[in-house]
Amino acid sequence: MSYRIELRHLKYFQILAEELKFRKAAEKLFISQPGLSRQIRQMEEIYNVSLFDRSKRKVELTEAGQYLKAEVDFIFNHLETITKQLENIGQGKETELRIGFLGSAAQNVVPDLILRLNKAYPGIQTLLDEMPNKMQVELIEKDKLDIGFVRLPRVPDGISRFPVFEDTFSVVLPADHPIDVDHFENIRQLSTEPFIFFSSEDSPFYYDLIMGICEDNGFRPRVFHKSVNALTIFKLVEQGLGVAIVPTSLQYGYHLQIKFIELKNIRQRTELSVIWKESNRNPALKNVISLIQNKG
């Protein structure tokens, strides 16, 4: 065969695999739709496998296409990493570390890590981005994040997890709520209130943990609202739209008309962990994980 796979083929495939529409993918790539179809056919001939199922009204990836999509994503993500590393070398920097984190890690855990990182490895540049559990795992799998700080009991194969902080829970109430610390006995006092939960889609285990706190006290809460964002939950509580149960460390850094009552006498605790992809080739990662694991 006179032609072979080139990076442009892989980029065409990647965009079509994301859009699953030849017209939209061709527009995004600034080529004609027949031209895109021709490039994809070339790939399928070279690999001797069908990458897309065109028999249905909607284009879909075949099993081979799904496999190739994951590999192509890795290739282009790694090429981006190489480019950034070369830029860092050219500018005299050591490397760049991409960090994802939950809001509850922003008060102490992440700032403490950055402080110790700057002292031990001053050449490492950090990019910080607050995001939900699920997104952190997805981006780490795609090599778009180096480490993440999550509240998950387990992670997918190929990702390592190391616990860094255990936290208690606190109930969040509007500032003018009649129940305060002096008059609080247990969460059952709030059994008739509407509750605001963190999204069950982002972390089913965490959702079940909060639900378990209520069930241990003899009631199943009425969940009226869900969110992946702590500030959104706190604003809803402030407006009197419900009450919430959150990690105690989330109470710092917000200036809203709400109050927190720590649930000291319950069995449930929440664990914050750092996660990373075992095959990640960022040269800074090994040093950073060692720094986290050997704290104190």
Side-chain angles (χ1 to χ4, degrees):
M1 192 169 294
S2 60
Y3 46 78
R4 59 185 180 182
I5 292 295
E6 299 177 8
L7 276 179
R8 62 183 172 85
H9 289 104
L10 299 181
K11 176 54 69 175
Y12 294 159
F13 167 80
Q14 184 187 47
I15 298 302
L16 179 57
E18 290 172 352
E19 298 294 339
L20 293 177
K21 291 183 180 178
F22 276 88
R23 181 184 59 78
K24 288 187 67 176
E27 290 175 356
K28 199 168 184 178
L29 290 163
F30 301 103
I31 63 173
S32 68
Q33 187 170 326
L36 176 59
S37 296
R38 186 167 55 254
Q39 299 294 333
I40 297 300
R41 282 198 301 272
Q42 283 184 3
M43 289 186 68
E44 292 177 323
E45 289 175 16
I46 292 170
Y47 288 132
N48 194 30
V49 69
S50 177
L51 299 173
F52 293 94
D53 183 354
R54 306 169 181 81
S55 62
K56 302 177 182 178
R57 294 185 63 182
K58 182 180 179 181
V59 176
E60 293 182 352
L61 286 167
T62 63
E63 184 177 351
Q66 292 173 4
Y67 169 79
L68 183 60
K69 173 64 164 58
E71 294 302 308
V72 167
D73 285 344
F74 173 80
I75 289 170
F76 282 109
N77 288 333
H78 189 58
L79 287 174
E80 287 182 17
T81 300
I82 291 173
T83 300
K84 289 179 181 179
Q85 295 287 41
L86 289 173
E87 288 176 357
N88 289 334
I89 292 171
Q91 296 171 16
K93 300 176 184 176
E94 183 174 333
T95 190
E96 184 176 80
L97 191 75
R98 301 157 298 179
I99 302 174
F101 62 94
L102 297 173
S104 55
Q107 306 305 321
N108 296 306
V109 175
V110 171
D112 177 67
L113 171 62
I114 299 305
L115 181 63
R116 292 188 295 120
L117 196 59
N118 286 343
K119 289 181 179 179
Y121 306 102
I124 295 178
Q125 309 294 309
T126 55
L127 290 176
L128 304 170
D129 199 352
E130 182 179 346
M131 62 184 72
N133 290 305
K134 186 177 180 181
M135 184 179 294
Q136 290 188 59
V137 172
E138 290 174 356
L139 293 182
I140 282 176
E141 287 185 311
K142 294 178 179 179
D143 295 293
K144 290 184 176 291
L145 273 184
D146 295 306
I147 64 173
F149 289 92
V150 300
R151 296 184 184 277
L152 295 171
R154 61 189 67 87
V155 289
D157 292 342
I159 294 181
S160 290
R161 184 179 72 94
F162 181 79
V164 294
F165 179 70
E166 186 178 82
D167 202 358
T168 59
F169 285 101
S170 287
V171 62
V172 192
L173 306 171
D176 60 357
H177 196 282
I179 295 178
D180 56 23
V181 175
D182 293 332
H183 299 91
F184 182 80
E185 296 177 6
N186 58 58
I187 197 71
R188 190 166 56 251
Q189 292 172 270
L190 302 170
S191 61
T192 61
E193 302 266 7
F195 274 75
I196 305 164
F197 272 35
F198 280 105
S199 172
S200 54
E201 277 188 29
D202 178 55
S203 179
F205 171 81
Y206 187 81
Y207 183 92
D208 291 342
L209 192 62
I210 303 297
M211 191 68 73
I213 293 174
C214 298
E215 291 175 344
D216 283 355
N217 282 274
F219 73 99
R220 189 168 180 82
R222 296 178 298 135
V223 182
F224 272 53
H225 305 283
K226 300 177 186 177
S227 175
V228 299
N229 185 276
L231 179 58
T232 300
I233 290 176
F234 294 163
K235 291 292 289 185
L236 292 173
V237 172
E238 183 182 48
Q239 295 299 316
L241 296 174
V243 301
I245 300 174
V246 303
T248 298
S249 57
L250 265 176
Q251 67 182 291
Y252 305 107
Y254 299 95
H255 302 286
L256 301 171
Q257 295 302 305
I258 55 178
K259 56 188 175 184
F260 294 78
I261 301 176
E262 187 176 5
L263 304 175
K264 298 179 180 179
N265 299 317
I266 62 172
R267 62 181 176 84
Q268 289 87 352
R269 295 290 185 271
T270 177
E271 191 173 69
L272 183 73
S273 299
V274 61
I275 60 172
W276 67 95
K277 189 176 181 179
E278 293 163 5
S279 61
N280 187 315
R281 295 173 63 181
N282 188 329
L285 184 60
K286 182 178 179 181
N287 291 334
V288 171
I289 296 302
S290 177
L291 195 68
I292 293 172
Q293 293 178 332
N294 296 320
K295 179 180 178 182

